[in-house]
């Protein structure tokens, strides 16, 4: 009975797993540094060569080729073999396809290729650079999987296939992702390295500038390339090639290994969910002339802003994680560019040396035969006599060896020689051929004895391949790219944001409104429906943020440039398409958050009922299109005014009845959001707060002017000094005398030279200079600033 061997399961599992891992790494997923191919790719090329399917011949059914590979060399799944061959034929996958496919071999959209029974294939012409010299003992052959045939362990590649077409694969515990390169640049770099073995990476990169992807596109900066070349691992940023046609963005080249359909779907998704605004349609207009994706933009949209967001949120820009893990000397290693090139050159020198040795041996054998034929032709009669005297071929061979000192090979050649060759002309041919063989022998021996000559042969062959297959670079490499702030791409201009009661918003340019004399009827500022009216307005820079406070105690934050900026007589667009407003929710106040805002800024909110809330402005950083709760108000109360303060000055609050209160801002305690706040102004029955202003101590010292504007279009300027400071929660002082049918609409803190825009409920606007408004005492009515149509009233004002 045989002895039973015991083993710990941990040790057995560890050993078995390591063996499995190394089998996957070496035999399937990781390319060899010498020819740059994985076993499946190598076997496909060898099978095509064995079938005689060369570039100058006809195609053959892919199913036949796959069967040849499976049955003889690669006993894995037929679909896996077919997919590998398809990949080698795709112009958008391989920079230089090694297989010439005929039929549907898939598309850059991600469309699947036709079944292998429908497509055909043969070798591409550049594959000769991988398969030439296989029959000259240039590489080793090993038995195939069932020991019935032999296959090459490596192909005698004349060019570095690893860098030429790149490689990608995932094995057990490691991955490889080598980008493709331009053939011309690779050859020039190899030749330079042959002549300068100690060349630095910077010198090499003057020739091998970086990856050259089959889909073209743009590589942003050289830092990632240099890191990948230096360490074998780096991040290379790729970006689609785009240009503008009118108001459309046109994409003509896309990053490598990204499906066109994926890009289009992602753009559509980001446009739909609001991440990228301003896109109305995405169309694929690609044809045989090339790739073309058309991204249509809304009128008035800034294309550069959209393009910047497309790069940020879609695969139009992606990072290629280069990782040069390869098989070298039978083991996986991550190599630098210089190590990859040197490994290939060492392999190429070995191939050329073995080829030369093979050719030398062949030439010496032939020369030896020719020397025997010379002796035979010099002694024709004797040779014939010896042959005729022999009983059989074997005896004749022995006699020739004995009497003329021929070798066995020479004797056999003489016995095979036809009588027709025993002529003087034939002797001349033998002499000429022998002379030629001796020249070859001398040449081959010189090559084998000189590394310099060996290198010259490699360089000459590389130049020949460059001449035949070299082409221009497709991928543009830019210099160092600074991170672009999207806000810097936004045009710097002022707009007037206007919102109607029915929820329409428009932000026409300030220049749309010409300065007029006071008392004019103005121009159309918004095209309104019959039942709609202008509700609020605020001047802002297109680069600024806007805080929007609603009647439902919510705060929303939006970039001003994202609002529709059409002509001033446009109706605009529905605000609920941009903000997640609830049914019946309306915007009650707008607050322009400009660049001048500092870290310790505060947001003051006043309600119609006289309450005021003070929060840190940073409390509203999280406010976006979905909104956040801004404050808590009593039932029936809503926000009526908002302003930015710095916590050290004074606050003015004004009521519709014309009352104005002035008190120290420090009397308002800062609270966390949301809060009810404190009473800022005591109101008479039926009165309500309509406006608020924050005044810094520096401004107070200059005794600024307060501009009063009423609903019927009257207005005046009053010095701030006429309003004495009080404690918080008082009634204040009368600021303007009002008619029975009038009410105070707004107070604005103004300085000389500033301008104000008055917007009426029915969509009329007047822009006038503060200098044109007369200055009066507190009890005066003021002068007419805007002439209104019957039943129309001033709805809102903003400093423009």
């Amino acid at each position: 009975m045989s002895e039973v061997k015991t083993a710990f399961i941990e040790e057995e599992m560890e050993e078995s797993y390591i063996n499995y891992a190394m089998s996957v790494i070496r035999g399937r997923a990781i390319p060899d540094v010498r020819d740059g191919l994985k076993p499946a790719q190598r076997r496909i090329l060898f099978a095509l060569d064995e079938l005689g399917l060369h570039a100058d011949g006809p195609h053959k059914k892919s199913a036949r080729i796959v069967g040849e590979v499976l049955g003889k060399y690669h006993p894995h799944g037929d679909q896996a073999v077919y997919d590998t061959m398809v990949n080698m034929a795709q112009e958008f996958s391989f920079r230089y396809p090694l297989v010439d496919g005929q039929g549907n071999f898939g598309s850059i959209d991600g469309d699947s290729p036709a079944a292998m029974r429908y497509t055909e294939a043969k070798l591409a012409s550049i594959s000769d650079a991988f398969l030439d010299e296989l029959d000259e003992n240039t590489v080793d052959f090993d038995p195939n999987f069932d020991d019935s045939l032999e296959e090459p362990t490596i192909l005698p590649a004349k060019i570095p296939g690893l860098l030429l077409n790149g490689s990608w694969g995932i094995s057990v515990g490691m991955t490889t992702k080598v980008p493709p390169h331009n053939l011309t640049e690779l050859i020039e770099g190899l030749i330079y390295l042959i002549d300068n073995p100690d060349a630095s990476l910077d010198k090499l990169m003057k020739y091998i500038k970086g990856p050259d992807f089959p889909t073209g596109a743009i590589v942003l900066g050289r830092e990632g390339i240099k890191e990948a070349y230096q360490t074998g691992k780096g991040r290379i940023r790729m970006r689609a090639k785009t240009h503008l046609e009118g108001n459309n963005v046109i994409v003509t080249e896309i990053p490598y290994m990204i499906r066109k359909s994926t890009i289009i779907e992602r753009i559509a998704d980001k446009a739909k969910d609001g991440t990228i605004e301003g896109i109305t349609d995405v169309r694929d207009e690609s044809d045989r002339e090339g790739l073309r994706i058309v991204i249509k933009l809304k009128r008035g949209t800034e294309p550069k802003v959209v393009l910047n967001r497309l790069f940020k949120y879609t695969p139009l820009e992606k990072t290629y994680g280069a990782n040069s893990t390869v098989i070298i000397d039978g083991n996986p290693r991550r190599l630098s560019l210089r190590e990859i090139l040197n490994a290939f050159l060492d392999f190429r020198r070995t191939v050329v040396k073995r080829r030369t040795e093979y050719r030398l041996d062949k030439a010496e054998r032939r020369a030896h035969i020719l020397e025997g034929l010379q002796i035979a032709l010099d002694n024709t009669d004797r040779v014939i006599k010896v042959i005729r005297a022999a009983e059989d071929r074997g005896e004749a061979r022995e006699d020739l060896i004995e009497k003329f000192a021929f070798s066995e090979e020479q004797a056999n050649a003489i016995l095979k020689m036809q009588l027709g060759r025993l002529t003087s002309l034939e002797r001349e041919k033998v002499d000429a051929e022998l002379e030629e063989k001796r020249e070859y022998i001398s040449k081959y021996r010189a090559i084998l004895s000189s590394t310099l000559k060996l290198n010259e042969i490699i360089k000459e062959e590389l130049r020949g391949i460059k001449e035949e297959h070299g082409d221009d670079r497709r991928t543009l490499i830019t210099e160092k790219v600074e991170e672009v702030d999207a806000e810097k791409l936004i045009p710097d201009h002022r707009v007037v944001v206007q919102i109607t009661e029915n929820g329409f918003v428009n932000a026409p340019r300030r220049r749309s409104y010409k300065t007029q004399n006071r008392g004019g009827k103005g121009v159309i500022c918004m095209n309104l429906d019959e039942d709609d009216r202008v509700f609020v307005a605020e001047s802002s820079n297109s680069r600024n943020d806007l805080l929007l406070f609603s009647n439902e105690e919510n705060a929303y934050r939006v970039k001003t440039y994202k609002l529709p900026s059409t002509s001033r007589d446009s109706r605009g667009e529905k605000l609920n398409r941009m903000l997640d407003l609830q049914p019946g929710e309306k915007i009650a106040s707008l607050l322009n958050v400009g660049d001048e805002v500092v870290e310790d800024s505060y947001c003051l909110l006043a309600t119609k009922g006289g309450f005021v809330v003070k929060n840190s402005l940073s409390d509203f950083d999280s406010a976006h299109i979905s909104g956040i709760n801004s404050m808590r108000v009593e039932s029936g109360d809503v926000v009526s005014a908002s302003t930015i303060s710095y916590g050290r000055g004074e606050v003015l609050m004004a009521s519709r009845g014309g009352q104005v209160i002035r008190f120290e801002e420090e009397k308002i305690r800062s609270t966390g959001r949301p809060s009810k706040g404190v009473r800022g102004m005591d109101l008479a029955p039926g009165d309500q707060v309509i406006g608020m202003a924050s005044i810094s101590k520096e401004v107070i010292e200059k005794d600024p002017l307060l501009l009063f504007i009423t609903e019927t279009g009257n207005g005046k300027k009053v010095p701030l000094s006429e309003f004495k400071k009080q404690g918080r929660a008082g009634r204040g002082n009368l600021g303007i005398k009002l008619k029975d049918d009038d009410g105070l609409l707004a107070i604005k803190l103004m300085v000389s030279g500033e301008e104000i825009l008055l917007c009426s409920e029915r969509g009329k606007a007047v822009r006038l200079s503060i200098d044109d408004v007369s200055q009066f005492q507190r009890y005066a009515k003021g002068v007419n600033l805007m002439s209104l149509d019957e039943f129309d009233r001033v709805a809102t004002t903003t400093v423009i």
Side-chain angles (χ1 to χ4, degrees), residues 188-355:
E188 290 175 351
L190 283 169
I191 292 174
Y192 179 79
L193 187 59
I194 291 172
D195 294 335
N196 303 273
D198 297 323
S200 66
L201 177 60
D202 289 336
K203 294 283 188 180
L204 277 176
M205 287 185 67
K206 289 184 178 180
Y207 298 92
I208 304 175
K209 298 176 176 62
D212 188 23
F213 298 104
T215 54
I218 302 170
V219 170
L220 304 178
R222 301 179 186 273
E223 291 80 2
I225 298 174
K226 188 169 184 178
E227 182 184 6
Y229 284 173
Q230 198 162 30
T231 66
K233 189 173 183 179
R235 295 171 63 82
I236 300 171
R237 286 176 59 195
M238 295 184 296
R239 177 177 286 182
K241 188 173 288 187
T242 62
H243 67 273
L244 300 178
E245 289 184 6
N247 206 40
N248 297 334
V249 175
I250 310 298
V251 181
T252 55
E253 295 177 9
I254 60 177
Y256 184 47
M257 298 181 75
I258 294 292
R259 295 177 177 179
K260 181 179 61 177
S261 57
T262 299
I263 290 176
I264 294 173
E265 289 170 6
R266 191 71 61 84
I267 293 172
D269 289 343
K270 293 300 179 183
K272 185 176 180 180
D273 66 19
T275 303
I276 305 175
E277 298 177 332
I279 296 175
T280 61
D281 191 20
V282 184
R283 294 201 309 265
D284 182 7
E285 296 183 358
S286 305
D287 54 22
R288 293 184 179 181
E289 299 299 319
L291 184 143
R292 180 179 168 90
I293 301 172
V294 179
I295 304 169
K296 295 185 70 65
L297 306 182
K298 293 180 182 177
R299 188 178 63 178
T301 301
E302 176 55 47
K304 290 183 179 179
V305 176
V306 176
L307 193 54
N308 196 66
R309 292 187 174 275
L310 285 168
F311 291 142
K312 184 175 181 179
Y313 295 110
T314 75
L316 286 178
E317 180 174 316
K318 67 164 288 188
T319 299
Y320 185 96
N323 183 356
S324 302
T325 299
V326 296
I327 301 297
I328 182 169
D329 298 329
N331 295 307
R333 269 187 60 201
R334 184 184 298 147
L335 301 182
S336 66
L337 173 68
R338 197 164 177 274
E339 289 173 324
I340 292 172
L341 295 176
N342 278 325
F344 170 75
L345 288 175
D346 289 343
F347 168 65
R348 189 63 197 155
R349 290 185 185 104
T350 300
V351 168
V352 174
K353 186 176 180 181
R354 288 182 61 163
R355 181 188 72 189

Side-chain angles (χ1 to χ4, degrees), residues 39-215:
Q41 295 171 330
R42 189 178 300 119
R43 287 164 175 164
I44 289 170
L45 294 182
F46 181 62
L48 286 165
D49 187 50
E50 290 289 285
L51 289 169
L53 299 177
H54 299 118
D56 57 355
H59 295 79
K60 190 179 285 289
K61 282 289 184 184
S62 297
R64 172 69 178 85
I65 298 166
V66 171
E68 182 81 3
V69 176
L70 286 178
K72 292 185 176 180
Y73 310 115
H74 197 72
H76 298 284
D78 59 344
Q79 192 60 45
V81 173
Y82 182 53
D83 289 344
T84 301
M85 187 177 76
V86 165
N87 191 252
M88 296 167 73
Q90 292 173 334
E91 292 185 351
F92 53 87
S93 295
F94 267 45
R95 178 63 176 84
Y96 300 89
L98 302 180
V99 173
D100 181 359
Q102 184 169 275
N104 176 14
F105 273 73
S107 73
I108 198 169
D109 275 327
D111 298 325
S112 300
M116 66 181 79
R117 62 182 177 274
Y118 298 120
T119 62
E120 298 178 339
K122 64 178 180 178
L123 288 167
S125 59
I126 199 171
S127 294
D128 292 344
F130 289 82
L131 295 163
D132 282 351
E133 309 162 357
L134 258 179
D135 57 350
E136 294 187 278
N137 193 35
T138 50
V139 294
D140 295 331
F141 280 69
D142 279 347
N144 68 341
F145 62 89
D146 62 0
D147 293 340
S148 61
L149 297 167
E150 287 194 330
E151 61 175 318
T153 58
I154 202 77
L155 295 184
K158 295 180 180 179
I159 46 180
L162 179 69
L163 296 173
L164 184 74
N165 282 314
S167 187
W168 56 95
I170 301 174
S171 63
V172 182
M174 61 181 60
T175 63
T176 187
K177 200 172 184 183
V178 182
H181 290 75
N182 181 268
L183 176 63
T184 300
E185 292 181 5
L186 278 180
I187 289 176
E188 290 175 351
L190 283 169
I191 292 174
Y192 179 79
L193 187 59
I194 291 172
D195 294 335
N196 303 273
D198 297 323
S200 66
L201 177 60
D202 289 336
K203 294 283 188 180
L204 277 176
M205 287 185 67
K206 289 184 178 180
Y207 298 92
I208 304 175
K209 298 176 176 62
D212 188 23
F213 298 104
T215 54

